[in-house]
Amino acid sequence: MEQSFGAQLRRLRRDAGLTQQGLGELAGLSDQAIRLLEHGERRYPQPATVNRLMDALKLDQPTRTALLNAIPKRDNRPKPPPASDAPSQNWTVSQQLPLVPTHFSGRDAEFNEACQALTATPAASGSLPVVAIHGMAGVGKSALAAAVAAEIADQFPDGQLYLNLGGFGPSPSLRESEALYSLLRATGVADSEVPVNSAEASSLLRSRLFGRRVLIVLDNASDIEQVSPLLPAAPTCAVLVISRVWLTRLPANCHLQLDVLDESTALQLLRSVVGPDRVDAEPDATAELIRICAGLPLAIQIAAGRLVAQPAWLVEHLVDRLRNEQHRLDELAVEDATVRASLAVSFGRDDDAPAPAGDLSEAAFAALGLIDATSLTAVAAARLIGKEQRAAQGVLERMVDANLLMAPGPARYQLHDLLHLYARELADQRWSPADQNQALDRLLDVYETMAWRTTRIAEPMSFGLHWEKPDDPEIEPTITDAAALFRWLTSEHDTIVKLATQLSADSTSRVNRLASLVIGLGHYFLAGGRFIDFATLVQQALQGTSQQDLQAILHCYLGIAQAELGQPDQALASFHTASSGFVEAGYPLGEGVSLNNASRLLSESGRFVEAIATAERALKVNMTIGNAKAANLSLNNLGASHCQLGAFETGYDYFIQSLELCSESGDQIGRALALHNVGCASMDMGRLDEAVRNLEQSAELSKRTGMRLNLCNLLIDLSDAYGRLSDTKNAIHTGEEALAIAITADDPVRQGRANLQLGRVYANSADPELAREHLEDALALFEPRNKGAAKQVRQILDGLPQQ
């Protein structure tokens, strides 16, 4: 007995040792599609789908032939419902469906859902089966609709009607009377018999369709008003509606939202058009081509068409032409198909036609192209557009409904990469240079406000507040606590980095505003351990500003980032430049902070005598101006350097002075640091109980103040103290907590220290296997950064029992 297609597919899959999900991944299909095929629920698979399955299973030619022969022939399908017994009424059976695109790929889940919804037995209420397909321009709505309609066409023997309503195009959309005339003529009504009155024509259409089985495909519908007069009353008919906008009031039993293609499906589409050998020969270039096209089927089809038209081109050659964003939309054109033209009709106008003066949607959309970032919060987008937030958000939501924007979260909007390029082109057309500058200034207001609000609340004693900008209470008025502000800035991190990079090339006075923004963001970046991005932003701001005090604080912040990134020489040079700059600018507070930073770095680099001399200079400056916080740091630096030289009692005394100063000034962050240092000095002197007591108090304060990287260092030292007391359980717990913080912050230096400490604990607790695991991790992290620490790790590893 011959096996069915589904049974053969299931046997071949199992013989290959694959699950349904595994085969789906190899073939670029969903596991649901595989399941439907194997169970026989999808009896007539598309040829492209079968080819992908056979390629994934690596079938030889005889097996391929057997599998292909098992696909049921359409003549063997159950007989479609007979044509209705309704009076002929001069009925014409029209077959107007468009051709299915040759290289239609993917969409298996949507395809099956649409077919099932349109051919299901009408509900008891007698409702009309209606499926709506929504999606952005070029995402493949019409291709899916054509494939669905072709699949179910023989279930509608009284005709298959297709009508392009022209809702999105350079020409006016089809009028109601024109649409009704077209449909009635397709059913056999003579010109002279079509009612002039649209209501009468709509009634006649419903009467003629009643009791018949007709499939109607309505493409490019702009709104429900276009569609409603064309809907049959007969549940035996079915309607497939295609639109770029969400037709929320359409009485559809199935709404399908098409997204861009995933990488696997995009690759299959490219291979099917260009040919697998040519595409597979350049995997890196092919992957970049798919990324540039951003999963948009139209863009992929056009790119593939260009390669087919130029057989001598390498994929890399086309990719190289597409890398230039300014000309990308020009390159994504073949014959009469262009991505730009497809996007342009989203606004109902030809690419070259002038935009209506009052077209707020297009003006708003164009504003989103003014910046390099593709994702914005509602408040930022509103400021960029230049409208009150509620009004702007209404426009933005309409663009979401029209699939011009995505809404990845509440009050957040994102542009597809190619739509973003088109918005940028529109911005140059719709916005004058002066208006563009004003829009960017309004956007900067948002980020400056949130940056300085964060620093003001999270670090109210920061010396950076000398440059703070006034708070705008209308910007995100409900976000006022440190944790919420950090979350907001984190959500905007990529946008901020891109905006700053964009503005760094600005030759106008905005460069000083960029410097102000970067300074305001200092606490967010440094407290969060985002040193690489921060160093980049500071250097960009330094290139633009010539204001001496701004340059000085930027050099100070750059030094902090460089020190954390393991660049001590560069960091020390930055601190000295900052100190000199502050002296020239007449700002002793900045001088004291810079000297404190230099002293700490010198101590960490083993240059203890220089560190003590620099800390004494810093202490003198800070005491003279009465800055208790900065003086506290000077005292801690003095204590740390003396301890490093073995003068533990002297160092301990400096730490106690710091602790007393913090108690007087109410500086809780400084108090946490002083307790940390008192604890370490106590440990160095062998007073372990005192060390643990002070370190635990410091940990409690550090957690409350949110200084996670300081907490990471503290927990490593606390783990050491527990270990010396043979409290292995707490030593491991605190060491793992420190490692988790370092991993979350993506901080390799602290990850190395935490792994080294855990390695020591496990080695002392006679667990050499776990000790070796952590020490090897520490070695890998220290090797390229700290040769001395790497040598120390190797010595401990050499002392472990051999495996």
Side-chain angles (χ1 to χ4, degrees), residues 151-187:
E151 177 75 7
I152 64 173
D154 58 4
Q155 299 295 302
F156 298 91
D158 290 319
Q160 306 97 43
L161 309 182
Y162 173 84
L163 186 61
N164 188 339
L165 297 175
F168 303 94
S171 303
S173 59
L174 211 61
R175 296 196 301 270
E176 180 181 331
S177 59
E178 294 172 324
L180 288 165
Y181 172 84
S182 296
L183 292 177
L184 285 169
R185 288 287 291 116
T187 67

Side-chain angles (χ1 to χ4, degrees), residues 697-760:
Q697 288 182 48
S698 179
E700 180 67 24
L701 271 174
S702 296
K703 289 176 181 177
R704 289 209 303 263
T705 53
M707 300 297 287
R708 288 182 63 76
L709 292 181
N710 287 344
L711 177 62
C712 179
N713 294 332
L714 169 61
L715 291 172
I716 293 170
D717 291 331
L718 181 55
S719 173
D720 186 14
Y722 283 135
R724 296 189 193 195
L725 282 171
S726 300
D727 186 350
T728 303
K729 180 179 178 181
N730 276 323
I732 292 172
H733 174 74
T734 51
E736 288 178 341
E737 189 178 353
L739 180 58
I741 293 172
I743 291 172
T744 300
D746 194 21
D747 187 328
V749 175
R750 288 177 174 81
Q751 287 179 47
R753 287 193 61 212
N755 275 302
L756 172 57
Q757 172 57 25
L758 284 166
R760 287 196 185 108

Side-chain angles (χ1 to χ4, degrees), residues 269-346:
L269 175 57
L270 199 60
R271 292 174 87 243
S272 69
V273 180
V274 181
D277 293 341
R278 192 173 171 192
V279 169
D280 295 346
E282 299 178 77
D284 292 340
T286 295
E288 187 172 357
L289 178 60
I290 291 171
R291 181 191 62 76
I292 287 173
C293 293
L296 191 66
L298 175 62
I300 296 167
Q301 290 270 20
I302 289 174
R306 296 206 64 187
L307 289 171
V308 170
Q310 299 287 348
W313 280 11
L314 294 173
V315 178
E316 174 62 30
H317 177 71
L318 177 58
V319 168
D320 188 56
R321 297 172 70 104
L322 291 169
R323 285 192 181 111
N324 187 329
E325 290 189 349
Q326 289 184 333
H327 302 300
R328 185 172 296 170
L329 294 180
D330 294 326
E331 294 290 342
L332 287 174
V334 59
E335 297 179 353
D336 60 346
T338 72
V339 170
R340 181 185 285 109
S342 177
L343 300 179
V345 297
S346 294

Side-chain angles (χ1 to χ4, degrees), residues 409-477:
R412 184 166 201 90
Y413 303 96
Q414 185 169 351
L415 273 169
H416 182 277
D417 288 351
L418 294 178
L419 272 167
H420 181 249
L421 291 181
Y422 183 63
R424 185 177 298 171
E425 289 187 358
L426 286 179
D428 289 335
Q429 298 170 18
R430 295 296 307 267
W431 292 74
S432 70
D435 289 340
Q436 291 187 30
N437 284 330
Q438 290 176 14
L440 290 174
D441 284 336
R442 291 193 301 268
L443 183 65
L444 266 172
D445 288 341
V446 174
Y447 294 116
E448 279 189 296
T449 289
M450 298 303 283
W452 285 111
R453 188 183 297 171
T454 301
T455 299
R456 191 180 302 110
I457 291 174
E459 194 178 2
M461 300 180 69
S462 170
F463 88 110
L465 289 171
H466 175 75
W467 293 269
E468 72 173 310
K469 298 295 182 182
D471 192 273
D472 185 340
E474 293 184 2
I475 294 175
E476 301 289 13

Side-chain angles (χ1 to χ4, degrees), residues 39 126 342 361 451 549 608 665 695:
H39 290 181
S342 177
S361 293
D549 59 335
F608 305 118
S665 64
L695 291 172

Side-chain angles (χ1 to χ4, degrees), residues 612 616 619 634-658 677-678 681-682 684-685 687:
I612 289 171
E616 288 173 342
L619 181 60
S634 302
L635 289 168
N636 277 286
N637 288 340
L638 282 166
S641 294
H642 280 291
C643 286
Q644 290 290 346
L645 288 171
F648 299 118
E649 289 290 352
T650 302
Y652 182 87
D653 289 342
Y654 276 120
F655 296 143
I656 292 298
Q657 289 181 53
S658 169
N677 287 329
V678 169
S682 301
D684 288 333
M685 293 184 290
R687 300 186 329 225

